[in-house]
Amino acid sequence: MRNYDHVDGYLNKLVGDIYAQPEDPGHTRLSQKVIDHWMSRMTTCHSVIDVGCGQGFCQPMFERWGLKYEGVALGEDVIAAQEKGHNVKRMDFSFLEYPDNHVDLIFARHALEHSPMPLLTLMEWARVAKNWLGIVLPAPEWYTYKGQNHYSVMNMEQIKNLLDVAGWRILWEDIKMLAPDKEKPEEILPHEYWLMSERKRI
């Protein structure tokens, strides 16, 4: 028999790794870019949960496209988001307090790498989302495989496999590239993976 008390204890131990993610120009610009790229193609999407949303700075970006926005986060970001008037709730994105098929889209930008159990997290998102999952992942070729609160940094092959196992079918995929050194612009590396998936129908 599984003892979930142990899992709860392990997760509580990791709470100290959570750090604040205030809005900054770089994240804002990249978030706006991917949201506009996807929403311009998803005319039947009307609601979104932004998991690991930081201080909820993506709310106006989605509302611009007419979506009802909900954000979930942990730590200091929740208080900061609510003080700014953003619709952000304190919630662990691997244990969402929503019913099945609650929302059209789950949006996860630079979030899944913070899950110590990414496959189960993707399955939870498949439970809550009616239709779609939009993931933006930091490419390990650029960000490396380690960092504070980064437990699941994956390459493209790994994330594709987990999405498939968790019940997602990839619709669109993009790899955003950057030159890490201005003096060596020929050395282009993957910077972010963009993956829009739909729930598999069983």
Side-chain angles (χ1 to χ4, degrees), residues 65-97:
W65 289 97
L67 273 69
K68 177 184 176 185
Y69 177 93
E70 297 177 85
V72 301
L74 292 172
E76 300 171 10
D77 283 335
V78 178
I79 297 172
Q82 292 173 351
E83 288 176 347
K84 295 175 182 179
H86 294 151
N87 185 22
V88 174
K89 300 172 183 175
R90 185 178 306 278
M91 200 180 301
D92 187 323
F93 63 45
S94 297
F95 302 90
L96 293 171
E97 299 166 21

Side-chain angles (χ1 to χ4, degrees), residues 26-42:
H27 278 288
T28 300
R29 176 177 53 81
L30 290 168
S31 298
Q32 186 75 69
K33 190 172 183 180
V34 69
I35 289 169
D36 288 346
H37 177 67
W38 282 338
M39 293 302 100
S40 65
R41 305 166 72 179
M42 299 175 66

Side-chain angles (χ1 to χ4, degrees), residues 10-191:
Y10 301 148
L11 294 174
N12 286 336
K13 185 177 180 180
L14 296 176
V15 168
D17 288 349
I18 297 171
Y19 56 86
Q21 183 62 68
E23 183 175 359
D24 65 74
H27 278 288
T28 300
R29 176 177 53 81
L30 290 168
S31 298
Q32 186 75 69
K33 190 172 183 180
V34 69
I35 289 169
D36 288 346
H37 177 67
W38 282 338
M39 293 302 100
S40 65
R41 305 166 72 179
M42 299 175 66
T43 57
T44 59
C45 184
H46 304 295
S47 57
V48 60
I49 295 175
D50 182 2
V51 294
C53 67
Q55 297 182 7
F57 68 93
C58 289
Q59 181 167 344
M61 302 179 195
F62 281 108
E63 290 181 339
R64 175 175 169 263
W65 289 97
L67 273 69
K68 177 184 176 185
Y69 177 93
E70 297 177 85
V72 301
L74 292 172
E76 300 171 10
D77 283 335
V78 178
I79 297 172
Q82 292 173 351
E83 288 176 347
K84 295 175 182 179
H86 294 151
N87 185 22
V88 174
K89 300 172 183 175
R90 185 178 306 278
M91 200 180 301
D92 187 323
F93 63 45
S94 297
F95 302 90
L96 293 171
E97 299 166 21
Y98 294 109
D100 297 356
N101 304 313
H102 174 72
V103 70
D104 290 330
L105 166 69
I106 286 184
F107 176 72
R109 183 183 179 278
H110 286 233
L112 186 63
E113 68 271 18
H114 297 290
S115 173
M117 46 187 188
L119 177 57
L120 299 185
T121 300
L122 289 169
M123 295 171 79
E124 171 71 345
W125 295 349
R127 179 187 70 79
V128 174
K130 285 186 280 189
N131 299 306
W132 301 290
L133 169 64
I135 293 184
V136 177
L137 293 172
E141 296 89 342
W142 181 280
Y143 290 94
T144 76
Y145 281 93
K146 60 184 179 179
Q148 182 182 356
N149 197 223
H150 284 198
Y151 313 120
S152 309
V153 181
M154 291 175 274
N155 61 34
M156 186 66 99
E157 183 178 2
Q158 290 171 303
I159 185 57
K160 284 183 174 181
N161 179 60
L162 290 193
L163 285 166
D164 179 59
V165 174
W168 295 102
R169 179 182 295 106
I170 296 171
L171 296 174
W172 314 311
E173 59 181 270
D174 295 286
I175 300 178
K176 299 304 169 184
M177 313 290 285
L178 286 176
D181 189 338
K182 292 181 180 179
E183 296 179 3
K184 299 177 182 179
E186 70 279 2
E187 295 183 8
I188 304 295
L189 294 177
H191 178 253

